[in-house]
Amino acid sequence: MKPISVLFVCLGNICRSPLAEAAFRREAQGAGLDIAIDSAGTGDWHVGKPPDPRARAEAMRHGIDISSYRARQVNLQDFGRFSHILAADHQNLADLRAMAPPDGEAALSLLLDHVEGLEGQAVADPYFGEEDGFAETWQQVSLAAQALARKFGVQER
Ligand code: 4NP
């Protein structure tokens, strides 16, 4: 079986998926999991840019510096490189399904499908809102990060 490797995907790769990546990196490290982790966007508007300043501030509130992250767009190779691709919302998931090659091995799902009680829900998109929206996003992605670390921790053993 392919080693577990995880790609978090949102639209711009500057708000939700970098926060999910940061939260999951922390959980995976804490759980001693050796997992390849990355994030990407379905869109290309922000490619090469660091995360949104409000996302960077939110991560810093949790002691994580994501200022070195750079946005990139999802590509076809990602479907072979990653065992799991986790979409922030339903549109991201639909876009991923539409571009997935027939032989793509990655399992596609909504990020919050992995959180008991939040199945089928989208991660709140804070981009067009106020700074406090990022706190809600953080809450959601950290719940998902914890759930994924538990799940993959059990699978790796
Ligand atoms: P993200 O947020 O998908 O969580 O990174 C957004 C970033 C940029 C845009 C929308 C959402 N935008 O329209 O440029």
Side-chain angles (χ1 to χ4, degrees):
M1 211 172 74
K2 195 181 180 62
I4 293 166
S5 47
V6 182
L7 180 67
F8 297 96
V9 172
C10 62
L11 178 60
N13 192 209
I14 56 170
C15 297
R16 293 164 294 174
S17 61
L19 289 176
E21 176 183 346
F24 187 61
R25 282 189 184 282
R26 168 180 279 177
E27 291 299 327
Q29 191 174 21
L33 301 175
D34 185 17
I35 291 179
I37 303 167
D38 198 5
S39 66
T42 57
D44 66 356
W45 307 282
H46 303 282
V47 167
K49 300 274 170 52
D52 186 285
R54 298 164 297 171
R56 299 205 302 263
E58 184 60 30
M60 281 307 287
R61 280 192 275 280
H62 303 280
I64 306 176
D65 182 359
I66 60 169
S67 59
S68 66
Y69 290 15
R70 292 294 177 269
R72 73 170 181 89
Q73 192 173 23
V74 180
N75 59 57
L76 290 179
Q77 287 73 39
D78 288 324
F79 294 87
R81 278 176 56 209
F82 292 93
S83 64
H84 294 75
I85 302 183
L86 301 157
D89 67 29
H90 301 83
Q91 186 61 54
N92 305 148
L93 184 59
D95 290 342
L96 287 165
R97 288 204 173 118
M99 74 181 287
D103 59 348
E105 293 169 60
L108 309 182
S109 59
L110 279 176
L111 180 59
L112 293 183
D113 276 349
H114 302 274
V115 182
E116 211 178 310
L118 297 184
E119 297 90 346
Q121 293 191 31
V123 176
D125 184 352
Y127 183 70
F128 293 107
E130 304 297 324
E131 174 128 8
D132 61 1
F134 285 75
E136 185 188 1
T137 302
W138 178 264
Q139 286 304 322
Q140 294 174 328
V141 301
S142 46
L143 282 175
Q146 289 160 20
L148 289 171
R150 273 197 301 275
K151 172 180 165 147
F152 295 145
V154 171
Q155 284 181 17
E156 276 215 329
R157 257 180 258 127

